[in-house]
């Protein structure tokens, strides 16, 4: 540790005005060292351009504005009121305020006692919230954010436009009288004394090349900016650094796969693949041919393949995977195909066998044998399969995660295909890879992944994208309908069934308990099959069925024994029933976007026009129609309110899964969607990959360049990077090697 760093590591109590008692409190709240405090940045800033007077605020409310605003005022009175008819927390707190133009009030319906003690007449506060009018017509801010400022700060603020920082102060500190004012003072003292000790954490060259502020300048500005532009520059520096170190980790992880045991270089022995293609009933799309070329090139190479195959729902990823497996087989290896659920594994086994059948009939000289390993298999069946894998010639092995349980012994595993990746953690992937001697690994994503995400979460994989649908496809028609229209929708199904169509009717899972779920499923079924769908053959699928039962229903549907399939569970990702061409999704507003897109992807796989009908309550459908032309431009404040409507309109507007995924990312954030927490990568404090795509590319290129030249960061100019990785990212270094 350098002398400067030692200074920054001093306990907070040494900062002027802190002392041992407050120091202990701050430590308890996670602010242990001076460094901790200096890097505890304001969560908001007050600047004159965002401030309104009470008169302006009134105008805002009258004009229908629904966003948050900030206003500064002085406390003139505090009232606590009893509210009749409220059992618990039957007190409300009103704090009356004044600014130079007029009056307003803050109000709390909960926690009156707690907040009451926080205010005193004469104190000045910056108040932020959505303004409304009270019953008596007063301008009112309910449960606002409020930050205390001094008379001086306020004067200064109004005369010079100085920006004031506001911190999220830990509750324990607040309760012990370290409020806004004292906290700001402590930060000022810390900056005065210690800012000089902050050392640059990025190599000088990178700072220059990317036009970054120095780290100490950044810290200074984050606390006391002179302008909003300055804040942006400081944030850019923080984001860049964060993204850069992340990409260093990604690059190292990727590199690490290659440093491991040597992989196989596959050499095909015959014209197996060519012969297989000659009996395939369709021609591969150009996109499929392209990705196969990339995959084949990887497989021929000695380094193990680590490739992500992306493609929209229905773009034909399975056939690509099968051909990759055939390449492995023709080179004398076994190939494993891992699916996320039993039912999918079994369906894949069936469809792969079906695709192989005509081929093996015509070319009996090829020895291809499939095996299936899934839970719920009988013991003797399981043993036969295990034996077949270890000794008697199974070379396409399909299964669930049961594939990497100890029992399974591969004979010569050369390729692993993982379907629908994001349900599997990195660790599981690593475990399966350990089974072979660094087999080639092809990961297929079920849902398209936005580019920014695939550059981070999957940045350690090479990426192949199928960006084209098979030619025979007619785009699915997607419509949004109010519930009122259900009879018409059923009539539509009726008419279409006469033409030979089959339909899915899906309900969301709303019941918490298993019993209720079963009842609801049965109810939907009874109701529909005795009314609207009464002269049709109706099947029922629900979450309380064992997978074998589900599969039986699904197979009967595929065999056209049912015209309509009612499903209360999400129809499994990846199920392929080309003849089903209508998808009705009831209460569509309860589903997430990727679920909706997956469901829609169950139709449109055949050669007929297919339909996806989203059904929502009449009001929701109406509200949704209102915003349909500007879903992209909705103000952040409105996003929350219109989330469901945005999802529905996104489905109507976009068929392209990558577009849908982008909106999803914006609405939900990355952590929620792809389990970023399990990825083994650090979480972001400053960067937001839905917005910082450009910076991400910049950081990635820089990081990958560095690791390409110096994979263990051992060159003198990279000493600093290695040191910072070890100091701040040690937990994330599991998959990286460092000098
Ligand atoms: P996904 O990418 O969603 O996994 P699948 O692999 O299940 O898609 O393919 C969807 C359907 O398209 C399957 O019925 C498959 O046989 C068919 N298919 C795949 N490739 C082609 C092609 N090039 N031309 C016509 N149909 C194709
Ligand atoms: Mg699939």
């Amino acid at each position: 540790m350098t002398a400067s760093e030692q200074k920054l590591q001093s306990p907070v109590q040494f900062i002027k005005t802190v002392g041992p008692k407050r120091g202990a409190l701050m430590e308890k709240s996670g602010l242990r060292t001076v460094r901790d405090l200096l890097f505890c940045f304001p969560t908001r800033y007050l600047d004159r351009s965002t401030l309104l007077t009470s008169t302006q605020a009134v105008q805002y409310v009258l004009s229908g504005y629904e966003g948050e605003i900030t206003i500064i005022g002085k406390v003139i009175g505090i009232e606590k009121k009893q509210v009749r008819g409220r059992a618990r927390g039957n007190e409300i707190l009103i704090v009356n305020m004044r600014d130079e133009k007029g009056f307003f009030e803050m109000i709390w319906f909960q926690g009156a006692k707690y907040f009451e003690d926080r205010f005193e007449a004469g104190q000045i506060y910056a108040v932020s919230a959505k303004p409304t009018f009270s019953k008596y017509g007063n301008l009112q801010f309910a449960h606002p954010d409020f930050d205390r400022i001094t008379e001086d700060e306020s004067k200064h603020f109004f005369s010079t436009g100085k920006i004031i920082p506001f911190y999220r102060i830990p509750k324990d500190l607040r309760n012990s009288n370290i409020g806004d004012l004292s906290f700001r003072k402590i930060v000022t003292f810390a900056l005065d004394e210690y800012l000089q000790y902050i050392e640059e954490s990025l190599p000088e060259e990178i700072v220059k090349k990317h036009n970054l502020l120095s780290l100490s300048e950044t810290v200074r500005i984050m606390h006391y900016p002179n302008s909003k532009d300055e804040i942006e520059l400081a944030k850019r520096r923080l984001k860049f650094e964060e993204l850069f170190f992340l990409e260093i980790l990604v690059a190292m992880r990727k590199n690490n796969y290659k440093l491991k045991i040597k992989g196989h270089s596959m050499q095909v022995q015959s014209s197996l693949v060519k012969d297989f293609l000659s009996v395939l009933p369709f021609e591969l799309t150009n996109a499929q041919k392209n990705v196969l070329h990339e995959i084949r090139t990887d497989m021929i190479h000695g380094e193990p393949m680590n490739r992500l195959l992306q493609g929209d729902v229905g773009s034909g990823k399975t056939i690509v995977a099968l051909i990759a497996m055939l390449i492995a087989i023709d080179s004398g290896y076994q190939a494993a195909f891992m699916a996320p659920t039993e039912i999918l594994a079994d369906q894949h086994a069936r469809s792969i066998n079906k695709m192989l059948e005509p081929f093996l009939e015509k070319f009996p000289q090829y020895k291809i044998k499939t095996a299936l390993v899934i839970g719920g298999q009988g013991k003797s069946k399981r043993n036969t399969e295990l034996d077949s894998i270890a000794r008697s010639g199974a070379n396409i092995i399909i299964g669930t995660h049961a594939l990497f349980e100890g029992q399974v012994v591969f004979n010569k595993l050369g390729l692993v295909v993982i379907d629908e990746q994001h349900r599997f953690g990195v660790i599981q992937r690593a475990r399966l890879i350990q089974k072979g001697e660094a087999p080639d690994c092809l990961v297929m994503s079920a849902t398209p992944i936005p580019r920014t995400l695939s550059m981070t979460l999957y940045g350690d994989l090479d990426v192949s994208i199928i960006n084209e649908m098979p030619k025979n496809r007619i785009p699915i028609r997607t419509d949004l309908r109010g519930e009122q229209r259900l009879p018409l929708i059923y009539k539509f199904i009726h008419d279409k069934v006469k033409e030979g169509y089959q339909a899915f009717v899906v309900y969301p899972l709303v019941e918490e308990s298993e019993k209720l779920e079963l009842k609801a499923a049965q109810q939907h079924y009874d109701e529909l099959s005795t009314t609207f769908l009464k002269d049709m053959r109706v099947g029922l699928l629900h979450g309380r069925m064992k997978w074998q039962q589900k599969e039986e229903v699904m197979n009967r549907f595929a065999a056209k024994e049912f015209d309509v399939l009612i499903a209360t569970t999400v129809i499994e990702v990846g199920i392929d029933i080309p003849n089903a061409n209508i998808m009705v999704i009831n209460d569509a507003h309860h589903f997430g976007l990727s679920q909706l897109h997956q469901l829609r992807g169950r139709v449109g796989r055949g050669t007929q026009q297919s339909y996806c009908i989203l059904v929502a309550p009449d009001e929701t459908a109406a509200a949704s129609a209102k915003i349909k032309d500007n879903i992209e431009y909705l103000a952040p404040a409105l996003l929350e309110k219109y989330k469901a409507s945005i999802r529905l309109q996104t489905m109507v507007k976009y068929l392209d899964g990558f577009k849908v995924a982008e909106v999803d990312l914006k609405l939900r954030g990355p952590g929620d969607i792809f389990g970023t927490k399990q990825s083994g990568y650090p979480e972001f404090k400053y960067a937001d990959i839905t917005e910082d795509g450009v910076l991400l590319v910049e950081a990635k290129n820089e990081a990958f360049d560095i690791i390409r030249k110096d994979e263990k960061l051992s060159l003198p100019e990279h000493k600093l990077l290695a040191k910072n990785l070890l100091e701040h990212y040690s937990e994330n270094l599991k998959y990286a090697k460092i000098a």
Side-chain angles (χ1 to χ4, degrees):
M1 207 188 286
T2 61
S4 296
E5 186 55 33
Q6 247 157 27
K7 286 271 188 195
L8 293 177
Q9 291 301 331
S10 323
V12 277
Q13 61 157 302
F14 295 141
I15 300 170
K16 219 191 277 174
T17 73
V18 177
K21 217 164 128 206
R22 297 167 114 195
L25 276 170
M26 289 173 73
E27 275 190 33
K28 245 173 70 196
S29 307
L31 298 169
R32 229 170 31 78
T33 62
V34 173
R35 176 182 255 283
D36 292 338
L37 185 74
L38 289 179
F39 281 84
C40 170
F41 296 132
T43 46
R44 289 178 306 131
Y45 299 92
L46 182 62
D47 97 291
R48 264 199 319 205
S49 67
T50 54
L51 190 79
L52 299 184
T53 63
S54 51
T55 347
Q56 287 167 323
V58 168
Q59 289 308 317
Y60 262 58
V61 185
L62 290 175
S63 69
Y65 180 81
E66 289 184 352
E68 188 180 294
I69 64 154
T70 302
I71 183 167
I72 290 183
K74 199 177 242 177
V75 177
I76 50 176
I78 301 156
E79 301 171 57
K80 218 162 54 174
K81 283 188 188 166
Q82 293 287 325
V83 182
R84 250 187 291 148
R86 279 176 154 235
R88 211 152 42 94
N90 57 350
E91 280 178 339
I92 59 172
L93 178 73
I94 298 176
V95 177
N96 291 302
M97 310 279 295
R98 199 193 70 206
D99 73 356
E100 56 192 63
K101 297 285 183 190
F103 299 91
F104 61 95
E105 64 190 38
M106 302 192 271
I107 185 163
W108 282 269
F109 298 101
Q110 275 115 35
K113 268 219 178 65
Y114 172 76
F115 287 107
E116 180 187 13
D117 297 337
R118 299 276 297 271
F119 300 102
E120 254 173 58
Q123 290 175 336
I124 302 173
Y125 285 92
V127 178
S128 301
K130 217 174 85 175
T132 48
F133 290 126
S134 75
K135 212 161 46 180
Y136 307 104
N138 295 334
L139 179 64
Q140 186 181 73
F141 296 82
H143 293 217
D145 284 331
F146 55 95
D147 300 275
R148 193 163 158 217
I149 50 185
T150 62
E151 188 97 43
D152 257 10
E153 278 175 325
S154 151
K155 270 198 198 115
H156 213 71
F157 175 79
F158 283 109
S159 60
T160 65
K162 197 177 140 224
I163 293 176
I164 305 179
F166 292 139
Y167 298 85
R168 186 169 300 128
I169 298 169
K171 218 174 179 167
D172 284 344
L173 294 189
R174 270 221 193 276
N175 292 344
S176 317
N177 271 328
I178 304 186
D180 296 305
L181 304 185
S182 17
F183 198 85
R184 275 205 295 282
K185 219 178 249 157
I186 294 171
V187 171
T188 321
F189 285 132
L191 282 170
D192 284 349
E193 192 174 348
Y194 293 96
L195 186 67
Q196 53 179 316
Y197 297 117
I198 291 188
E199 292 172 312
E200 185 48 58
S201 51
L202 290 170
E204 204 54 49
E205 208 187 285
I206 294 181
V207 173
K208 270 212 199 96
K209 185 168 155 197
H210 297 274
N211 273 321
L212 303 173
L213 294 177
S214 73
L215 187 57
S216 64
E217 184 72 351
T218 301
V219 171
R220 202 259 313 149
I221 290 174
M222 285 302 286
H223 292 290
Y224 281 99
N226 289 315
S227 69
K228 280 188 138 171
D229 292 346
E230 256 193 10
I231 303 176
E232 287 316 305
L233 287 177
K235 282 189 176 159
R236 180 170 177 273
R237 145 85 209 210
L238 293 168
K239 289 173 176 193
F240 182 92
E241 177 162 348
E242 197 168 53
L243 293 166
F244 172 75
F245 277 110
L246 170 83
E247 290 297 337
I248 286 274
L249 288 167
V250 171
M252 287 181 132
R253 199 187 270 192
K254 180 167 183 176
N255 211 50
N256 200 28
Y257 292 140
K258 301 196 170 148
L259 292 177
K260 273 216 189 118
I261 340 156
K262 237 174 120 51
H264 317 283
S265 26
M266 306 242 172
Q267 267 167 344
V268 294
Q269 305 295 319
S270 68
S271 49
L272 192 157
V273 170
K274 214 174 114 225
D275 292 338
F276 173 76
L277 290 175
S278 75
V279 294
L280 200 65
F282 48 76
E283 202 194 332
L284 295 181
T285 60
N286 283 334
Q288 284 170 318
K289 288 179 192 163
N290 268 339
V291 302
L292 269 168
H293 175 74
E294 291 169 343
I295 291 168
R296 187 182 294 114
T297 310
D298 278 5
M299 291 174 74
I300 291 170
H301 263 264
E303 288 174 352
M305 167 166 77
N306 273 293
R307 190 166 279 280
L308 173 70
L309 177 59
Q310 282 216 65
D312 207 346
V313 182
S315 60
K317 294 183 289 285
T318 315
I319 190 80
V320 170
L322 177 57
I323 294 171
M325 292 196 280
L326 295 179
I327 295 172
I329 290 170
D330 201 21
S331 314
Y333 291 94
Q334 289 175 311
F337 187 110
M338 187 166 81
T341 63
E342 270 101 3
I343 200 165
L344 268 181
D346 196 56
Q347 294 267 319
H348 276 310
R350 276 165 203 270
S351 68
I352 285 173
N353 280 323
K354 214 163 94 196
M355 284 192 264
L356 289 173
E357 210 170 273
F359 165 61
L360 294 176
E361 221 158 78
K362 193 166 169 197
F363 299 98
Q365 70 267 35
Y366 296 121
K367 299 282 168 265
I368 298 177
K369 191 169 160 192
T370 61
L372 180 66
V373 182
I374 46 182
Q377 230 168 5
K379 203 168 183 180
S380 70
K381 169 83 174 147
R382 167 69 68 96
N383 286 338
T384 322
E385 301 292 271
L386 289 179
D387 188 61
S388 174
I389 296 165
R391 276 176 293 276
S392 41
N395 42 19
I396 293 186
I397 298 111
I398 301 153
T400 52
H401 51 273
L403 276 183
F404 32 58
E405 274 148 26
Q407 297 182 312
V408 186
V409 181
F410 293 97
N411 173 23
K412 204 178 170 197
L413 183 61
L415 169 70
V416 175
V417 178
I418 302 178
D419 194 14
E420 337 279 28
Q421 146 77 13
H422 67 258
R423 299 209 207 163
F424 291 101
V426 193
I427 297 131
Q428 281 169 303
R429 190 167 93 208
R431 209 187 302 162
L432 186 53
I433 291 172
Q434 277 159 16
K435 285 235 159 188
E437 328 138 29
D440 284 326
C441 188
L442 180 67
V443 172
M444 303 202 290
S445 76
T447 339
I449 304 168
R451 200 168 87 97
T452 44
L453 255 192
S454 64
M455 269 168 50
T456 49
L457 278 189
Y458 300 101
D460 52 339
L461 305 176
D462 297 308
V463 181
S464 289
I465 300 182
I466 305 184
N467 53 4
E468 178 188 10
M469 286 287 178
K471 287 201 185 52
N472 54 4
R473 300 285 167 76
I474 304 171
I476 304 167
R477 270 194 52 177
T478 307
D479 287 304
L480 172 63
R481 296 282 180 255
E483 265 158 10
Q484 216 184 353
R485 308 272 288 267
L486 271 172
L488 290 173
I489 295 167
Y490 291 122
K491 167 138 191 343
F492 175 74
I493 293 181
H494 219 269
D495 295 344
K496 285 292 176 186
V497 163
K498 280 195 196 132
E499 295 173 26
Y501 275 68
Q502 288 174 282
F504 293 102
V505 176
V506 177
Y507 292 90
L509 257 185
V510 276
E511 301 301 348
E512 304 261 320
S513 95
E514 302 184 348
K515 262 207 190 116
L516 285 176
E517 186 201 331
L518 192 63
K519 206 168 140 202
Q522 197 62 45
Q523 222 160 25
H524 291 308
Y525 177 81
D526 291 344
E527 203 177 301
L528 285 179
S529 55
T530 53
T531 57
F532 294 113
L533 305 176
K534 80 169 171 276
D535 45 358
M536 279 178 258
R537 296 165 306 163
V538 183
L540 173 64
L541 194 72
H542 60 76
R544 304 315 313 149
M545 290 171 154
K546 286 215 182 79
W547 75 262
Q548 289 95 333
Q549 295 172 303
K550 282 194 213 165
E551 171 151 58
E552 195 199 320
V553 174
M554 213 98 80
N555 289 340
R556 290 179 64 189
F557 187 53
K560 287 199 135 190
E561 287 178 38
F562 301 124
D563 304 307
V564 180
L565 186 64
I566 295 177
T568 57
T569 171
V570 174
I571 297 163
E572 301 280 336
V573 174
I575 290 296
D576 186 31
I577 303 179
N579 195 59
N581 262 335
I582 302 173
M583 168 65 66
V584 177
I585 306 174
N586 281 291
D587 283 327
H589 60 299
H590 282 313
F591 288 96
L593 259 182
S594 69
Q595 269 182 318
L596 288 172
H597 185 67
Q598 270 294 338
L599 282 172
R600 175 167 63 185
R602 297 310 106 215
V603 299
R605 303 180 148 241
T607 46
Q608 286 166 303
Q609 173 67 58
S610 50
Y611 303 88
C612 174
I613 305 168
L614 308 169
V615 184
D618 296 318
E619 320 81 78
T620 312
S624 186
K626 242 190 345 206
I627 58 156
K628 85 169 190 266
D629 293 325
N630 41 26
I631 48 174
E632 272 104 346
Y633 315 109
L634 279 186
L638 295 181
L639 278 185
E640 200 48 50
K641 180 168 170 195
Y642 286 110
K643 256 185 183 170
S645 303
I646 296 170
R647 289 200 300 269
L648 296 173
Q649 283 305 332
T650 302
M651 289 297 294
V652 174
K653 194 161 174 187
Y654 300 118
L655 204 50
D656 178 351
F658 285 94
K659 277 278 186 210
V660 173
E662 267 169 34
V663 179
D664 201 24
L665 183 60
K666 220 178 249 164
L667 292 181
R668 286 162 69 203
D672 250 14
I673 309 184
F674 293 96
T676 21
K677 291 205 182 87
Q678 300 149 30
S679 71
Y681 290 124
E683 280 183 67
F684 292 133
K685 264 196 353 240
Y686 309 110
D688 172 351
I689 57 172
T690 63
E691 282 169 4
D692 300 324
V694 178
L695 205 57
L696 175 61
V697 175
E698 223 178 283
K700 178 189 169 155
N701 290 341
E702 186 65 52
F704 272 65
D705 266 355
I706 287 175
I707 296 301
R708 198 174 307 124
K709 284 186 219 131
D710 180 16
E711 57 186 28
K712 291 184 182 174
L713 297 179
S714 45
L715 292 177
E717 64 264 38
H718 297 148
K719 276 259 150 58
L720 183 59
L721 292 180
K723 171 179 158 280
N724 278 320
L725 272 179
L726 288 169
E727 254 173 47
H728 304 298
Y729 296 90
S730 56
E731 282 162 35
N732 310 109
L733 281 170
K734 213 169 13 180
Y735 301 91
K737 286 208 172 60
I738 193 166

